[in-house]
Amino acid sequence: MSSSTGRATNDTFLGMPAVPPRSPYGTGHLRGERTFPRAAHDELGNEQLRRNLGKATHSIRAKRLAVTGELPDWEQLRDTGSAIKTDTMNRLPELLEELERKVTERGGTVHWARDGVEANEIVTRLVRDTGSDEILKVKSMATQEIGLNEHLESQGIAALETDLAELIVQLADDRPSHILVPAIHRNRDEIREIFLRHIPGVDPALDADPARLAAAARAFLREKFMTTKVAVSGANFGIAETGTLAVVESEGNGRMCLTLPETLITVMGIEKVLPRFQDLEVFLQLLPRSSTGERMNPYTSLWTGVTPGDGPQEFHLVLLDNGRTAALADRIGRAALNCIRCSACLNVCPVYERTGGHAYGSTYPGPIGAVLTPQLAGMHGAKGDPNSSLPYASSLCGACFDACPVKIDIPSLLVELRHQHTEQAGTTAEKLAMKAAATVMKQTGLFTTAQKAAGLGRVLAGRDGTLSRLPPPLSGWSDSRDTPAPPQQTFRSWFASAEGAAAMRAAADEGARHTDDPQEAS
Amino acid sequence: MTATARETVLRRVRDALSLSDGPAVTVPRAYRTGRSLPDEERLALFVDRLVDYRAQVRTCTAATTAAVLAEVLREHGAQKIGIPPGLDPAWLAGYDGETVTDSADVPAPRLDVLDGVVTASAVSCAETGTIFLDGAAADQGRRALTLVPDLHLCVVDLSSVRTGVPEAVAQLTPEHPITLISGPSATSDIELERVEGVHGPRTLAVVIRTDR
């Protein structure tokens, strides 16, 4: 079986295609306050964070390897998953229209949002129409990205997160730091503190045992599930062929929110569409194994519009752009849209493991965040845009590419973004230095002189033969690295010296003794 | 006239595609499909996966269904259980507790006072230990019924257990509300340490009928 498709043709729109806009500057959570190196510098000082993260990422890596390794066709599944996503992007216009048609046929209402601001307005209006001033939330990256909770709050609507980790983050007035486990930067003692302080009527004798902490959250939310009339969710997949939506979860809070309220509002990024229902057979294998290292996550809900007598009788689907079309317009960068938000790349990344998620300043941290955030929100929204530092938040080791279930070549995307940033940045100290280096290296005389001058660097080096601080503009480099002192003598000057000549003669004699060629033996 | 959000987003998508010129792609499908295993192997695989999720597993035959269900309910001290309207009444012939037949107009708090719920299932996947519930089937009931009570006792006919995910997904009716269940509810949100029993049922008991 295979399906081959060309690209969508456009019969209605004549004229030159316009580059779609990024997510509007200053909205939502796709940009931090500080550049990555600056934020990372502070996060690295948090030993508790590094311990929590190290422990968590190592345990999940082992689990992921075990459950992906037991499938003989894992690589074939990855190939298919990757191709389905690429094919989806190629056919996005008709797939979105088909999804809209199917959801509408089944009694749902579809809304379109150009950006996060518009999506927030749509959700606010829909909640108002129900007469409710409180809603329940299913964990959702898209609603985090657009800052929905904060917007609702400003409009007098209380939004309560129901996923355990999201609840922890919300109660502590904190920000998520991981795609899958948003409170990964917190340990059990910190969580106990948060619950004691913020959950009304919690048992003051609550200890830090994870099972009892989870039970406290269960007790707190139980009554809310039974009484709240409106829920807002994201979606892992939206099936164009049938209009079916999917939410993949573990705790059952998702099922509660998708089942018990009267009204359900789902906010879905347009890239989450899949062509056919059958495609689930691939992604229901790729996602849980990559994400939590389980053969299957405990609960997955599939629903299609409205079902009389079962679940919410009013269903709204909000399709969100918010910079996704800008990413799609980039020949290389569009691959980032294939992401299924499994978080495997975060868990294997040596940089993420040390800095944590907050350093990236975006809802999307880690390797995928470093490529997706600049695509959605741009890198040059203003002078000194922190997002322009994200493509450099990587050692390019490639572990993320190996772990990605849909084979997004994150290192190549990072390099492309670095290139785009350099092109945009105009004349920088680095650019001038490189230009000067090129001039020097082209001319032997200049190069020899420069090497001699570099030898003077030894004077600046410490006793251990390293330079710990370089003068600006190189100080940015030396802030986090030691530079070895230049050698006393360049290779060229050694080669030209008596010592060099003697060494070369000795080597030639040695070579002659060992050669097998009689012609060469004398 | 200003363009609607719908028109704008769709135009942007089309513009983006003409700017980025993505490669046409053929979707390869070389992963395993259409697998089948003999009954005994499928049963062993399914049980192994269920136990791994810390679900409780029993087997029975059509003839011993009522006795085994009564035993499991007694073990859990379930005095009052909910059942979907289409559940085979013979299954509960040995149960002496109170039975409440569910319907669409029973409010959720009324489900919260039940000790447990007994349902059938649509299809299962042995390789992942996943049970698929079809909310439109009269013997499985609406989704809320299997979610709110603490104990879910689910009856699975071995003939409905497929080997892998593709074989199981192929059995579904996409338009029905479908819930995939793999063990009891769980979270790994605290230090990535797995804890069972969060918002969904704390206990999943699976009774597999080996001659059905």
Side-chain angles (χ1 to χ4, degrees):
Chain A
M1 268 178 315
S2 71
S3 56
S4 173
T5 52
R7 283 187 300 104
T9 50
N10 186 351
D11 354 311
T12 50
F13 177 66
L14 298 167
M16 288 298 288
V19 179
R22 310 268 181 202
S23 169
Y25 186 82
T27 66
H29 297 305
L30 289 172
R31 184 175 272 104
E33 308 274 303
R34 303 177 296 166
T35 60
F36 180 84
R38 214 164 281 244
H41 184 271
D42 291 355
E43 297 290 333
L44 286 169
N46 181 344
E47 277 185 42
Q48 184 67 63
L49 171 85
R50 290 171 68 176
R51 260 201 307 276
N52 294 353
L53 271 178
K55 186 179 159 194
T57 52
H58 281 262
S59 87
I60 204 160
R61 276 179 215 175
K63 281 199 270 190
R64 186 183 65 85
L65 286 172
V67 296
T68 57
E70 75 178 19
L71 289 188
D73 56 350
W74 181 248
E75 290 306 320
Q76 285 74 20
L77 285 164
R78 286 178 79 207
D79 287 340
T80 306
S82 176
I84 290 173
K85 292 299 290 194
T86 305
D87 172 49
T88 298
M89 298 310 151
N90 286 345
R91 297 192 288 136
L92 200 52
E94 63 261 38
L95 290 174
L96 288 171
E97 286 174 315
E98 188 181 11
L99 177 70
E100 176 186 47
R101 198 167 53 247
K102 293 291 179 188
V103 169
T104 309
E105 276 171 17
R106 298 278 312 188
T109 311
V110 178
H111 311 259
W112 300 71
R114 281 166 276 226
D115 52 43
V117 175
E118 189 165 30
N120 286 338
E121 284 165 0
I122 292 168
V123 175
T124 306
R125 183 169 48 78
L126 292 173
V127 176
R128 283 241 170 83
D129 288 350
T130 67
S132 289
D133 60 0
E134 58 173 357
I135 63 151
L136 293 178
K137 288 281 310 296
V138 188
K139 177 177 175 304
S140 139
M141 301 304 293
T143 58
Q144 280 284 1
E145 171 194 327
I146 63 178
L148 176 67
N149 293 6
E150 295 90 328
H151 179 78
L152 289 172
E153 199 93 0
S154 75
Q155 301 299 304
I157 297 165
L160 182 66
E161 292 289 350
T162 60
D163 169 82
L164 180 56
E166 289 283 8
L167 178 68
I168 292 163
V169 166
Q170 187 179 40
L171 291 176
D173 202 15
D174 193 357
R175 290 278 289 277
S177 69
H178 190 281
I179 290 176
L180 174 75
V181 262
I184 198 168
H185 56 293
R186 299 284 195 177
N187 67 17
R188 62 186 69 192
D189 298 310
E190 295 172 292
I191 293 164
R192 173 179 169 266
E193 283 301 312
I194 292 165
F195 280 11
L196 285 175
R197 201 165 307 155
H198 298 287
I199 292 186
V202 75
D203 177 5
L206 180 71
D207 64 21
D209 173 62
R212 277 186 282 282
L213 291 170
R218 175 186 169 110
F220 170 59
L221 287 171
R222 196 81 180 167
E223 187 251 347
K224 304 271 183 197
F225 288 135
M226 302 289 158
T227 55
T228 309
K229 303 264 187 269
V230 186
V232 174
S233 83
N236 291 94
F237 311 107
I239 312 292
E241 176 189 33
T242 57
T244 306
L245 287 146
V247 163
V248 172
E249 50 135 354
S250 298
E251 295 171 16
N253 63 303
R255 288 177 69 193
M256 289 275 180
C257 293
L258 301 170
T259 306
L260 300 182
E262 292 164 10
T263 302
L264 172 63
I265 304 163
T266 298
V267 180
M268 177 181 123
I270 54 174
E271 82 286 13
K272 292 290 189 76
V273 68
L274 288 176
R276 294 188 302 166
F277 190 83
Q278 195 206 337
D279 295 330
L280 287 173
E281 73 186 22
V282 177
F283 291 98
L284 288 176
Q285 295 190 77
L286 290 174
L287 180 54
R289 290 180 194 257
S290 300
S291 185
T292 52
E294 292 165 304
R295 293 189 178 104
M296 190 68 87
N297 51 289
Y299 297 136
T300 298
S301 296
L302 306 175
W303 76 97
T304 309
V306 171
T307 304
D310 187 345
Q313 294 303 290
E314 199 183 325
F315 172 56
H316 297 273
L317 175 64
V318 182
L319 295 172
L320 175 72
D321 178 354
N322 203 34
R324 283 157 177 78
T325 49
L328 188 64
D330 185 310
R331 199 171 47 83
I332 295 169
R334 62 186 282 188
L337 294 175
N338 293 2
C339 171
I340 56 172
R341 313 283 192 265
C342 76
S343 77
C345 62
L346 278 60
N347 301 330
V348 297
C349 178
V351 177
Y352 175 87
E353 187 190 330
R354 287 159 182 81
T355 64
H358 291 156
Y360 296 80
S362 159
T363 294
Y364 304 105
I368 189 62
V371 294
L372 189 61
T373 301
Q375 296 284 346
L376 297 177
M379 295 187 285
H380 310 98
K383 196 170 159 31
D385 187 341
N387 279 357
S388 66
S389 66
L390 288 177
Y392 301 89
S394 165
S395 63
L396 300 181
C397 75
C400 48
F401 185 20
D402 291 340
C404 178
V406 290
K407 299 179 91 163
I408 301 169
D409 182 356
I410 296 175
S412 294
L413 294 187
L414 287 164
V415 171
E416 166 64 15
L417 283 171
R418 289 179 187 189
H419 168 72
Q420 287 177 13
H421 172 237
T422 317
E423 290 297 296
Q424 270 276 343
T427 307
T428 59
E430 185 186 20
K431 229 176 182 169
L432 287 172
M434 287 295 169
K435 210 169 166 176
T439 311
V440 168
M441 284 177 172
K442 272 184 201 148
Q443 303 183 42
T444 316
L446 277 178
F447 188 61
T448 310
T449 314
Q451 284 191 308
K452 281 194 179 125
L456 297 174
R458 291 185 66 74
V459 183
L460 304 171
R463 217 173 265 211
D464 57 354
T466 56
L467 296 158
S468 52
R469 291 201 71 80
L470 293 173
L474 302 172
S475 53
W477 167 272
S478 66
D479 272 353
S480 49
R481 300 170 185 85
D482 284 339
T483 313
Q488 224 161 347
Q489 191 181 30
T490 66
F491 174 77
R492 285 156 172 273
S493 58
W494 174 84
F495 193 76
S497 69
E499 188 195 350
M504 292 303 289
R505 261 199 312 278
D509 293 348
E510 181 78 2
R513 265 201 306 281
H514 288 284
T515 184
D516 297 325
D517 189 344
Q519 298 241 312
E520 293 238 336
S522 49
Chain B
M1 201 191 102
T2 50
T4 61
R6 179 182 188 277
E7 287 162 352
T8 304
V9 173
L10 284 169
R11 196 198 66 234
R12 285 179 188 173
V13 175
R14 292 193 168 101
D15 283 358
L17 289 172
S18 40
L19 289 164
S20 64
D21 201 24
V25 63
T26 301
V27 177
R29 303 238 177 215
Y31 55 92
R32 296 170 302 160
T33 54
R35 283 186 293 153
S36 62
L37 288 172
D39 277 0
E40 271 177 37
E41 283 180 51
R42 246 179 29 258
L43 176 65
L45 186 61
F46 187 43
V47 171
D48 176 75
R49 300 312 193 227
L50 286 169
V51 169
D52 188 53
Y53 294 136
R54 303 202 185 98
Q56 301 180 4
V57 188
R58 299 282 294 270
T59 55
C60 70
T61 60
T64 61
T65 305
V68 172
L69 291 192
E71 200 177 317
V72 174
L73 290 168
R74 197 169 43 248
E75 280 167 13
H76 288 279
Q79 307 285 320
K80 187 178 183 180
I81 59 161
I83 55 166
L87 195 80
D88 184 346
W91 286 7
L92 293 172
Y95 175 65
D96 51 11
E98 187 186 345
T99 309
V100 180
T101 303
D102 187 49
S103 69
D105 48 19
V106 173
R110 291 260 300 281
L111 298 173
D112 206 18
V113 301
L114 298 170
D115 298 323
V117 50
V118 177
T119 70
S121 55
V123 60
S124 291
C125 168
E127 190 172 57
T128 61
T130 305
I131 299 168
F132 296 65
L133 300 174
D134 182 332
D139 59 1
Q140 292 155 60
R142 58 181 183 142
R143 289 170 291 170
L145 177 67
T146 50
L147 170 63
V148 178
D150 264 356
L151 165 73
H152 179 196
L153 199 172
C154 189
V155 179
V156 175
D157 289 345
L158 182 55
S159 61
S160 73
V161 180
R162 297 289 180 272
T163 303
V165 175
E167 298 82 63
V169 168
Q171 300 298 309
L172 301 172
T173 310
E175 292 76 16
H176 292 179
I178 293 162
T179 307
L180 283 65
I181 292 178
S182 307
S185 73
T187 185
S188 300
D189 279 351
I190 301 170
E191 295 184 9
L192 284 179
E193 191 173 298
R194 191 178 157 101
V195 171
E196 271 94 25
V198 194
H199 302 296
R202 293 174 208 259
T203 308
L204 174 68
V206 184
V207 174
I208 306 164
R209 308 204 304 165
T210 53
D211 61 346
R212 284 296 154 114

